[in-house]
Amino acid sequence: MNKYLEQLVLLSKIDQEIDSFEPKIETISKVLKDAENKILKIDIQLSDLDNEIKDTQQQKIQNNTHITEFSTKIKELSKKSTMVKTEKEANALKIEEDIAREQLDAANDEIVRLDKILDSKEAFKKELLDEKAKEVQQMESVKIDIQTQIQTIEKERMGVYDRKTQLIAEMNQRVLSFYEKIRKWAKNTAVVPVKKQACYGCFMKIYDKTHLSIIRGEEIVTCPHCGRILYKVQE
Ligand SMILES: [Zn+2]
């Protein structure tokens, strides 16, 4: 095979390899990103829950204030009732006292209800904190693993870059810029094999005459249909 063509085939393989690193790193990093997002979601839930707990506690404080008010009122009413002169007055006081007692009962019931809500919210909070601790622990172990994997890939990548630099230094500049021009639009398929007399870039059939010069491999031949650089592989 023509030396220039041989170098081009090698260069295109190196470029393909270089381009394959980024998606690999992305896939690996995604695992970590997913874990971080999971923890973030739990944090949002926890902060919402804390606000709800604060609100409920505030309601409880208000209710306790009401309970004090109602109790004071009931005491005052019973004091007054010892000093009534008429039955009418006594009845009026009795009605007022009954209402105050009903309000007091309702406020006490409300406290019971709010306590139940607080209990369930605190239990949920504990669940979330446990879940978060588990996720954090898992993420930490994943992190170390991922960092190791990325380091390995980076090392590989540096090795491939070195090979590319070395190869480019040996290459003819005109051949190289010809390749770069095709690579601009063909990306990783600038240099493609010919199999079953077809271009493996555009998959069109190659004419006999062109095919023969590709088999001979004495010069750089491009696909007459798409313009990619072609080379013959042993089938
Ligand atoms: Zn083609």
Side-chain angles (χ1 to χ4, degrees):
M1 200 192 278
N2 173 306
K3 187 185 156 220
Y4 292 150
L5 183 59
E6 219 169 282
Q7 288 172 328
L8 281 175
V9 172
L10 188 58
L11 180 61
S12 80
K13 279 181 180 154
I14 289 176
D15 276 337
Q16 278 172 16
E17 219 177 315
I18 287 173
D19 286 350
S20 73
F21 286 120
E22 211 42 60
K24 262 189 225 164
I25 290 178
E26 246 169 63
T27 311
I28 295 168
S29 309
K30 198 181 170 294
V31 176
L32 189 61
K33 194 110 206 99
D34 285 350
E36 282 169 350
N37 280 339
K38 238 183 195 171
I39 294 168
L40 208 68
K41 251 187 210 164
I42 297 176
D43 277 339
I44 293 170
Q45 268 183 297
L46 275 170
S47 132
D48 286 349
L49 198 57
D50 274 337
N51 284 335
E52 287 168 22
I53 289 172
K54 250 185 234 157
D55 278 352
T56 314
Q57 278 164 342
Q58 199 55 44
Q59 285 179 48
K60 228 180 117 177
I61 291 169
Q62 279 175 1
N63 249 281
N64 277 324
T65 314
H66 288 150
I67 287 172
T68 317
E69 284 167 9
F70 297 140
S71 310
T72 315
K73 195 171 182 190
I74 291 166
K75 259 184 221 155
E76 280 169 8
L77 287 172
S78 59
K79 209 192 257 170
K80 265 192 203 167
S81 68
T82 58
M83 299 182 282
V84 289
K85 286 163 190 142
T86 64
E87 197 177 326
K88 199 179 161 193
E89 242 180 308
N91 283 340
L93 275 177
K94 178 84 176 57
I95 289 168
E96 219 179 322
E97 198 185 322
D98 283 349
I99 291 170
R101 279 193 192 284
E102 262 170 41
Q103 284 172 322
L104 180 65
D105 286 348
N108 277 320
D109 288 348
E110 182 64 3
I111 293 282
V112 173
R113 191 184 74 90
L114 291 173
D115 274 339
K116 261 186 207 159
I117 291 173
L118 276 176
D119 280 351
S120 82
K121 285 197 191 300
E122 291 289 355
F124 184 42
K125 185 178 170 176
K126 197 182 164 296
E127 254 173 56
L128 282 178
L129 285 172
D130 286 349
E131 200 185 320
K132 184 183 166 178
K134 233 194 301 179
E135 291 291 345
V136 168
Q137 202 184 12
Q138 217 165 26
M139 190 189 69
E140 290 305 327
S141 70
V142 163
K143 213 186 225 167
I144 295 164
D145 187 36
I146 282 172
Q147 276 163 351
T148 317
Q149 283 185 54
I150 288 179
Q151 266 169 13
T152 311
I153 291 176
E154 289 297 354
K155 219 167 146 189
E156 264 176 63
R157 173 143 75 173
M158 291 327 284
V160 178
Y161 273 134
D162 282 349
R163 268 163 55 210
K164 183 175 175 172
T165 314
Q166 216 176 335
L167 178 62
I168 282 177
E170 292 166 5
M171 280 178 78
N172 175 298
Q173 284 311 300
R174 274 177 53 207
V175 173
L176 190 62
S177 62
F178 180 59
Y179 164 78
E180 289 299 347
K181 229 177 181 171
I182 298 172
R183 199 172 138 76
K184 261 185 197 144
W185 59 266
K187 311 286 176 216
N188 269 334
T189 63
V191 182
V192 288
V194 171
K195 288 180 195 169
K196 295 189 177 84
Q197 212 174 322
C199 161
Y200 260 57
C202 67
F203 301 99
M204 302 266 283
K205 195 172 169 358
I206 306 290
Y207 315 118
D208 289 347
K209 209 179 143 202
T210 314
H211 192 229
L212 272 177
S213 50
I214 294 165
I215 292 171
R216 276 201 299 273
E218 284 165 3
E219 52 195 314
I220 295 170
V221 179
T222 54
C223 171
H225 310 290
C226 68
R228 288 178 173 91
I229 299 163
L230 299 173
Y231 67 98
K232 184 71 190 158
V233 283
Q234 300 303 322
E235 282 178 61

